[in-house]
Amino acid sequence: YPRVVMMSATIGAPEFMAEELGIEHWEYEQVPNQWGPEQRPVHVLPCPTIGYKSPESSYVKQAELIGNALSALPSDWSGVIHVTSWKQATSLLTRLRGQGFDASRLFVPQKGRGTNQQLEDWDRVKLTRSGMLIITPSMSEGVDLLNERICIVAKCPFPSIAPGSYEYERMIYSNNLYKLRTAWGLEQRCGRTRRGRPEDYDTSFERNGYVAICDGSFQKMGIKKYCSRDFVEALVYD
């Protein structure tokens, strides 16, 4: 076709999206967000890199940062903590408990249940007490968390790169595309609790939510470069 028009809220940096699609000549226009960056801050916590080679001290520090952040928020705020595996979910719960955080507020869904079933379980759990927090690897996209005020990404969602997989071939072809995919997943996770309603955003007088990234690989791997401009504008380094 002589011209193609595409529109999306989470394409990441447009130059890498064009590379992904094989488009050599393109123009990009950013439609201003009706909510200013100060109304939707994404806090970047001073966390070490979290990965399979990270020492135990890094995981302990992460739990400390997350616990401190949660303790500074209203105790009746519920929310989601995103991880990328069930092992990470249970391990983080254990470490938060070890830090002295009230573990009765933490909920890890049953592995093997579908996302819809997990949402049903979560809706029941939220009724048991206020301020519940779900730690899960399976609510990263397609989920509207309309009552939750807290959203923490405890692990940058780097794609699995098992040899022979599509993501492995993508990374071999271009590391840019591999990191772009990570940026897409990160932005999706950070947007689960801000769904376009006025009550989802901060005002000059009131904080209505809290979104944070607690994984040092976000900075170490330079993922910011691959995120959309709108998302980058909202980053706050604590």
Side-chain angles (χ1 to χ4, degrees):
Y1 295 97
R3 176 170 303 200
V4 176
V5 178
M6 295 180 289
M7 178 174 63
S8 175
T10 53
I11 68 167
E15 58 269 30
F16 301 118
M17 180 66 170
E19 179 187 353
E20 167 83 337
L21 297 174
I23 299 175
E24 296 182 1
H25 307 289
W26 53 274
E27 296 178 1
Y28 174 73
E29 181 177 352
Q30 178 178 332
V31 178
N33 194 321
Q34 69 183 103
W35 310 104
E38 70 282 352
Q39 296 178 279
R40 46 182 173 82
V42 177
H43 297 268
V44 181
L45 304 184
C47 181
T49 297
I50 300 299
Y52 71 95
K53 292 184 179 180
S54 298
E56 176 64 19
S57 58
S58 295
Y59 289 94
V60 171
K61 180 63 176 179
Q62 181 195 49
E64 176 186 339
L65 289 168
I66 292 176
N68 289 342
L70 293 173
S71 297
L73 299 171
S75 60
D76 61 347
W77 277 12
S78 64
V80 59
I81 301 176
H82 296 289
V83 291
T84 57
S85 73
W86 293 106
K87 181 179 179 180
Q88 291 171 14
T90 55
S91 295
L92 180 56
L93 186 153
T94 299
R95 292 187 180 94
L96 285 169
R97 180 189 291 120
Q99 296 281 352
F101 187 78
D102 182 3
S104 67
R105 292 181 59 189
L106 304 175
F107 170 66
V108 175
Q110 180 181 339
K111 181 180 179 181
R113 288 174 64 78
T115 301
N116 289 336
Q117 294 172 311
Q118 290 178 39
L119 281 169
E120 292 175 2
D121 294 342
W122 173 230
D123 286 339
R124 287 194 296 270
V125 167
K126 285 190 297 184
L127 296 176
T128 62
R129 61 169 291 180
S130 62
M132 291 297 294
L133 300 157
I134 183 171
I135 309 176
T136 176
S138 63
M139 293 186 182
S140 57
E141 298 179 7
V143 178
D144 292 325
L145 299 177
L146 301 177
N147 297 316
E148 288 73 5
R149 299 293 86 201
I150 299 169
C151 180
I152 297 177
V153 177
K155 183 71 180 73
C156 285
F158 292 98
S160 173
I161 51 172
S165 67
Y166 174 73
E167 293 296 349
Y168 177 80
E169 293 183 7
R170 183 203 298 263
M171 185 188 69
I172 294 300
Y173 175 75
S174 171
N175 197 40
N176 285 335
L177 305 184
Y178 176 70
K179 292 183 179 180
L180 176 65
R181 180 68 178 174
T182 304
W184 288 344
L186 181 70
E187 291 193 39
Q188 286 286 341
R189 284 163 173 77
C190 288
R192 292 306 93 207
T193 57
R194 289 186 175 137
R195 309 308 298 160
R197 306 172 305 170
E199 59 266 32
D200 295 334
Y201 302 88
D202 296 354
T203 69
S204 301
F205 309 101
E206 185 177 14
R207 179 165 64 173
N208 289 321
Y210 179 79
V211 179
I213 301 169
C214 195
D215 179 359
S217 60
F218 173 72
Q219 291 181 268
K220 182 177 180 180
M221 300 296 288
I223 302 304
K224 171 183 173 180
K225 176 181 176 181
Y226 300 85
C227 293
S228 63
R229 299 171 190 172
D230 184 77
F231 184 80
V232 171
E233 291 171 354
L235 296 176
V236 177
Y237 294 86
D238 294 343

